[in-house]
Amino acid sequence: MAGAPLLSFGAITGVTAYAMSSYAIGGWVERSAVLVFNTWYLLSLGRAYWFRFRGEPARQREWMTRAVAILLGIATTRPAMGVFFATSARTHLGPNQFFGIAFWIGFSINAVISELWLHSKRRAQLHNLGIAETGPQLKSCTRG
């Protein structure tokens, strides 16, 4: 039952992220990134729990992958912030100006990559089952 504590602690983490966003160094841009991706994180956890409850482990894994990817977005913001800090002498941007942008970059990269991976995996499974879309079928036009 390793999934239940992970879902419980994940929910606590998500709820506290809302409270922590009340003081955002990057202002409304940072706060909007936290609100959007934290909501997506909590919805992903909720869907994972729902599919766990229904006994659909494959779907639970898919939604947990989304949730974990968003959590990893926190780590991805760090290199983006590092680039902004390293270039601040040239750009003259301060932390209050680039923190929000770094948050959007970090979370977006992970969300997009995880979705691409999940969809490519699903397409591969459909292809192996022979259900993959083959595109529009061209019918020959013959007059008879």
Side-chain angles (χ1 to χ4, degrees):
M1 284 289 222
L6 181 64
L7 291 170
S8 299
F9 290 132
I12 291 168
T13 302
V15 170
T16 57
Y18 285 125
M20 290 175 60
S21 71
S22 63
Y23 173 73
I25 294 171
W28 67 269
V29 178
E30 178 185 339
R31 192 173 294 119
S32 66
V34 171
L35 294 176
V36 166
F37 287 103
N38 190 47
T39 301
W40 182 240
Y41 168 72
L42 289 173
L43 288 172
S44 297
L45 274 181
R47 294 287 290 176
Y49 178 77
W50 173 251
F51 287 118
R52 181 177 189 271
F53 179 74
R54 291 186 51 177
E56 298 182 43
R59 299 292 305 270
Q60 177 194 3
R61 207 168 24 255
E62 177 183 332
W63 284 93
M64 282 303 293
T65 300
R66 286 183 175 99
V68 170
I70 292 169
L71 286 178
L72 290 174
I74 297 166
T76 309
T77 62
R78 301 312 186 242
M81 284 185 198
V83 169
F84 282 114
F85 272 116
T87 60
S88 63
R90 281 189 176 264
T91 62
H92 305 290
L93 294 174
N96 61 332
Q97 295 168 310
F98 65 72
F99 260 52
I101 298 168
F103 271 58
W104 275 102
I105 290 170
F107 285 121
S108 297
I109 286 172
N110 283 36
V112 168
I113 288 174
S114 68
E115 288 300 319
L116 289 173
W117 184 77
L118 286 169
H119 288 281
S120 70
K121 188 174 177 185
R122 184 174 300 126
R123 283 185 65 89
Q125 290 170 343
L126 291 174
H127 181 71
N128 290 338
L129 293 173
I131 307 173
E133 293 180 32
T134 57
Q137 299 296 320
L138 298 176
K139 295 182 180 181
S140 61
C141 294
T142 57
R143 292 193 165 180

